[in-house]
């Protein structure tokens, strides 16, 4: 990517709006192909509305949901649904540029830029997060945190103070595999 | 070609390089801070994070604990220097902080390493009297980042970060100011505490007096006490003198007086420009050293 506009456009294509009527509006990553991965706290029911960047509205069926890891997987069907590219393991480094795309406070496709602050637990013995120095808000949950090439490194899940905490894609992949979905 | 990727790789490399010389500093309860291996055996950190004189433990980049002692401290600029045996930890590459400009991209690094980024948002003119403008930073200094390095995009250390002045104000002390302090420390073996021997209060300068004496500043400090036998007394300062400048730097409030009296000035003769009886006069004062606290 040579500029942020290009990077933002590329990520918006693979970022879905996930609406659980009456519960929340969050984000999701179109990955693996034919699926949307998001946070468990974004979808509570068995179905959720999925809106793509081109305006298409699809019905997402929740096929796996785990509150402990805060992950959920939805299946969507339709033609020409894009899919995100995932960063390889071990490619995220402290200091590297990252961008987040999502729908904070209902703002569609908002981009925020920062760097990886740290990788690891917030507290001793806690789970490992990609901690990013980017500002997130409600509605970013489930959206992608991506590197400068547009490859997704984590799933934005919550904020701690001003830090964004994202679930590393290796953990997300494990969850997807456990749900019986093959990875590309 | 691929500008963003190059920038990203550059930032990560800068963190990696600077992180090699970064220590965790355990010198206060609960929250550790950060320090930089600046010169062989000398680690620089933020003075306000050093709350104990002994039992200071540094955690090296490899996670190993080493004990440290205080080599010197300068609370006026919030710098403490710790002595440590750490021959295996590389020295930081200290850059030229005089080239830093408002708008430059910078990284703050904490023990871990952890990092945040932003830009230099302003040069604090107030600090200019202490030998270099402080850097105001538009970045987040996360808990424990005080005392850690501010680095440029090439990983060179250009300052020491501190949120000691206020949790909402993120500043860095320029590397040049730290260098000067360390040179004095290595020459004298300690960081002296400068001493004049006056107590002062701010005073507003009457408009007529400012015009008559061609002064731009609207305030100065008035001497309300002079310690007998002190450098101020020896230099001829008396109660009621209004100090408008010291060593060429204008003095607008008592804090400024402390900022101008840098440790490296101890032993130097400096000119105190005062107003006495409505007339300006220059007095020569030899900056003394406050005896160490017993």
């Amino acid at each position: 990517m040579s500029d942020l506009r290009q990077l933002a456009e590329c990520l918006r294509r693979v970022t879905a709006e996930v609406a659980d009527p009456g519960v929340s509006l969050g984000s999701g990553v179109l990955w693996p192909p034919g699926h949307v991965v998001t946070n468990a706290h974004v979808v509570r029911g068995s179905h959720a509305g999925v809106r793509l960047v081109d305006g298409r509205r699809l019905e997402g069926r929740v096929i796996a949901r785990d509150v402990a890891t805060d992950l959920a997987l939805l299946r969507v069907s339709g033609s020409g649904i894009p899919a995100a590219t995932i960063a390889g393991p071990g490619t995220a480094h402290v200091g590297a540029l990252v961008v987040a795309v999502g729908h904070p406070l209902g703002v569609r496709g908002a981009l925020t830029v920062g760097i990886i602050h740290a990788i690891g637990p917030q507290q001793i013995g806690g789970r490992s997060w990609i901690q990013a120095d980017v500002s997130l808000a409600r509605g970013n949950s489930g959206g992608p945190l991506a590197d400068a090439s547009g490859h997704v490194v984590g799933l934005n899940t919550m904020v701690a103070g001003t830090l964004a905490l994202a679930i590393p894609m290796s953990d997300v992949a494990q969850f997807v595999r456990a749900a019986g979905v093959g990875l590309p | 070609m691929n500008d963003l990727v190059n920038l990203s790789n550059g930032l990560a490399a800068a963190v990696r390089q600077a992180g090699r010389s970064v220590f965790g500093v355990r010198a206060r309860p609960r929250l550790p801070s950060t320090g930089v291996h600046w010169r062989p055996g000398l680690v620089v950190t933020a003075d306000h994070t050093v709350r104990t004189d002994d039992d200071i433990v540094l955690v090296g980049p490899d996670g190993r604990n080493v004990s440290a002692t205080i080599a010197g401290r300068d609370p006026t600029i919030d710098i403490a220097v710790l002595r440590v045996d750490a021959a295996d930890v590389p020295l930081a590459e200290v850059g030229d902080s005089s080239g830093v400009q408002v708008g430059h991209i910078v990284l703050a690094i904490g023990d871990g390493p952890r990092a945040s980024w932003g830009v230099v948002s302003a040069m604090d003119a107030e600090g200019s009297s202490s030998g270099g403008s402080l850097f105001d930073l538009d970045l987040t200094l996360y808990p424990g980042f005080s005392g850690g390095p501010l680095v440029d995009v090439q990983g060179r250390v250009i300052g020491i970060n501190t949120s000691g002045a206020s949790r909402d104000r993120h500043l860095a002390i320029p590397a040049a100011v730290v260098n000067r302090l360390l040179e004095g420390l290595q020459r004298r073996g300690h960081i002296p505490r400068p001493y004049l021997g006056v107590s002062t209060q701010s005073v507003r300068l009457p408009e007529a007096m400012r015009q008559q004496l061609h002064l731009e500043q609207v305030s100065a400090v008035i001497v309300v006490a002079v310690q007998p036998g002190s450098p101020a007394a020896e230099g001829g300062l008396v109660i009621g003198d209004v100090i408008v400048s010291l060593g060429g730097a204008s003095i607008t409030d008592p804090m400024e007086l402390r900022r101008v009296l840098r440790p490296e000035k101890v032993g130097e003769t400096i000119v105190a420009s005062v107003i006495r009886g409505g007339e300006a006069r220059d007095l020569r004062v030899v900056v003394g050293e406050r005896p160490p606290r017993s």
Side-chain angles (χ1 to χ4, degrees):
Chain A
M1 297 295 153
S2 59
D3 67 31
L4 287 171
R5 187 177 55 91
Q6 217 181 328
L7 186 54
E9 272 168 19
C10 148
L11 275 170
R12 281 186 190 122
R13 287 182 60 241
V14 296
T15 305
E17 224 173 282
V18 180
D20 190 347
V23 178
S24 64
L25 175 72
S27 304
V29 178
L30 293 173
W31 185 82
H35 295 80
V36 177
V37 66
T38 183
N39 286 130
H41 74 260
V42 172
V43 287
R44 303 275 163 92
S46 60
H47 290 80
V50 172
R51 184 183 182 277
L52 306 184
V53 71
D54 60 14
R56 262 191 292 168
R57 289 174 192 278
L58 309 172
E59 173 84 345
R61 189 164 61 83
V62 179
I63 59 166
R65 186 170 179 273
D66 180 40
V67 176
T69 54
D70 200 1
L71 289 169
L73 187 64
L74 287 72
R75 185 164 288 157
V76 287
S77 52
S79 62
I81 300 175
T85 308
I86 303 305
T91 56
H93 298 290
V94 175
L97 267 187
V98 279
V99 298
V101 167
H103 317 293
L105 310 169
V107 180
R108 278 189 174 141
L111 175 80
T112 169
V113 185
I115 62 167
I116 297 181
H117 167 80
I119 300 170
Q122 275 244 302
Q123 280 139 15
I124 294 162
R127 70 190 285 194
S128 189
W129 296 100
I130 294 180
Q131 303 173 27
D133 184 33
V134 297
S135 53
L136 300 186
R138 236 151 31 107
N140 272 115
S141 280
L145 184 74
D147 64 19
S149 303
H151 300 161
V152 179
V153 295
L155 204 70
N156 296 316
T157 297
M158 58 178 184
V159 296
T162 56
L163 270 184
L165 302 186
I167 301 173
M169 283 318 279
S170 52
D171 291 3
V172 177
Q174 206 178 336
F175 166 76
V176 171
R177 266 195 302 266
V181 175
L183 298 183
Chain B
M1 274 219 316
N2 208 332
D3 301 343
L4 279 183
V5 175
N6 288 342
L7 173 62
S8 182
N9 290 340
L11 293 173
V15 171
R16 202 160 42 241
Q17 185 193 321
R20 283 197 274 261
S21 314
V22 163
F23 282 92
V25 177
R26 295 190 180 149
R28 63 176 171 185
R30 292 190 300 279
L31 183 63
S33 60
T34 304
V36 184
H37 196 195
W38 201 282
R39 297 211 173 163
L42 294 178
V43 168
V44 175
T45 187
D47 184 66
H48 80 272
T49 68
V50 181
R51 303 278 284 276
T52 169
D53 284 344
D54 29 50
D55 297 332
I56 298 174
V57 173
L58 301 188
V59 184
D62 56 359
R64 212 158 44 86
N65 286 7
V66 278
S67 63
T69 54
I70 295 177
R73 50 204 304 176
D74 184 354
T76 335
I77 56 166
D78 198 15
I79 290 290
V81 185
L82 307 175
R83 206 180 292 283
V84 65
D85 182 11
D88 52 334
V89 175
L91 289 178
E93 190 191 333
V94 178
D96 176 13
S97 60
S98 65
V100 176
Q101 292 173 27
V102 172
H104 273 162
I105 292 181
V106 285
L107 292 149
I109 297 173
D111 165 39
R114 294 171 294 150
S116 65
W117 81 322
V119 296
V120 175
S121 60
M123 301 279 188
D124 176 18
E126 262 180 43
S128 58
S129 48
S130 55
S133 296
L134 298 177
F135 303 146
D136 262 291
L137 307 174
D138 176 33
L139 53 69
T140 308
L141 293 181
Y142 289 95
F145 267 45
S146 274
L150 182 75
V151 308
D152 64 13
V153 287
Q154 272 147 346
R156 293 178 301 211
V157 176
I158 52 171
I160 292 290
N161 301 314
T162 176
S163 50
S166 146
R167 208 152 27 131
D168 302 321
R169 184 138 183 240
H170 297 159
L171 294 172
I173 298 113
V177 175
V178 177
N179 277 334
R180 214 167 305 140
L181 189 73
L182 285 177
E183 276 152 27
L185 168 68
Q186 289 182 311
R187 200 171 55 239
R188 295 173 200 263
H190 69 291
I191 297 175
R193 296 205 300 149
Y195 169 62
L196 273 191
V198 287
S199 303
T200 60
Q201 286 175 6
S202 298
V203 281
R204 178 167 277 279
L205 296 171
E207 182 61 39
M209 184 180 278
R210 288 174 52 210
Q211 280 182 1
Q212 188 197 332
L213 302 174
H214 308 291
L215 293 172
E216 281 187 16
Q217 66 205 78
V218 294
S219 65
V221 297
I222 185 164
V223 177
V224 294
V226 179
Q227 223 159 2
S230 67
E234 299 279 311
L237 275 157
V238 296
I239 292 174
D241 281 349
V242 173
I243 304 174
V244 292
S245 76
L246 197 64
S250 54
I251 305 293
T252 55
D253 60 43
M255 268 310 289
E256 197 113 56
L257 200 62
R258 287 179 53 192
R259 274 197 288 264
V260 171
L261 288 174
R262 305 284 311 120
E264 53 266 23
K265 293 269 203 279
V266 168
E268 272 183 31
T269 303
I270 58 172
V271 172
S273 300
V274 303
I275 304 172
R276 186 184 293 170
E279 284 173 19
R281 62 170 74 195
D282 286 346
L283 303 172
R284 293 164 66 79
V285 182
V286 181
V287 179
E289 177 175 355
R290 192 182 297 273
R293 276 171 288 197
S294 51

